[in-house]
Amino acid sequence: MPRLMSMVVRFLVLGLLAVSGNAQALPDQVLRDHQAARTARAEGRILPMREIERRVLPQMRGAQYLGFDYDPDRGIYTLKFLRDGAVIWVDVDARTGQVTGRSR
């Protein structure tokens, strides 16, 4: 289910960007970020996303997990959740698995 939600969120974002004329920039950046994450994981520089999810999801009881993004420049995974109509972002250090920030 989390992958489906992630795909839905990305589809909606892409649709909004298409309307605004910026649709090509996001897919290229998303592909680069995902490739950077795969490379960093293969080289052992960051934890697998499944390990990050295993650590963070139990802390977010009552929230729906929407998916994640990876910022290779900062080495941060951002996990997105929905609770009571509000989006919550949780930043996690990809190397250590420690939560570094949280909105709301």
Side-chain angles (χ1 to χ4, degrees), residues 1-3 6 47-60 65-69 77-81 92 97:
M1 185 59 99
R3 287 191 188 273
S6 179
L47 294 169
M49 188 59 221
R50 298 296 169 233
E51 176 62 19
I52 300 292
E53 290 171 338
R54 186 187 69 75
R55 294 178 184 198
V56 175
L57 268 56
Q59 299 174 32
M60 299 300 294
Y65 180 49
L66 301 175
F68 69 94
D69 288 320
Y77 283 113
T78 300
L79 286 71
K80 297 175 200 129
F81 297 87
V92 181

Side-chain angles (χ1 to χ4, degrees), residues 33-49 70 77 94:
D33 291 351
H34 282 274
Q35 182 57 46
R38 277 191 292 273
T39 300
R41 172 61 192 121
E43 294 173 352
R45 292 185 284 125
I46 64 172
L47 294 169
M49 188 59 221
Y70 175 68
Y77 283 113

Side-chain angles (χ1 to χ4, degrees), residues 64-103:
Q64 179 182 5
Y65 180 49
L66 301 175
F68 69 94
D69 288 320
Y70 175 68
D71 182 341
D73 295 329
R74 295 174 38 218
I76 297 288
Y77 283 113
T78 300
L79 286 71
K80 297 175 200 129
F81 297 87
L82 184 64
R83 179 186 292 142
D84 300 326
V87 177
I88 302 165
W89 290 273
V90 178
D91 291 337
V92 181
D93 185 306
R95 292 171 286 277
T96 66
Q98 297 296 312
V99 173
T100 61
R102 177 178 165 175
S103 70

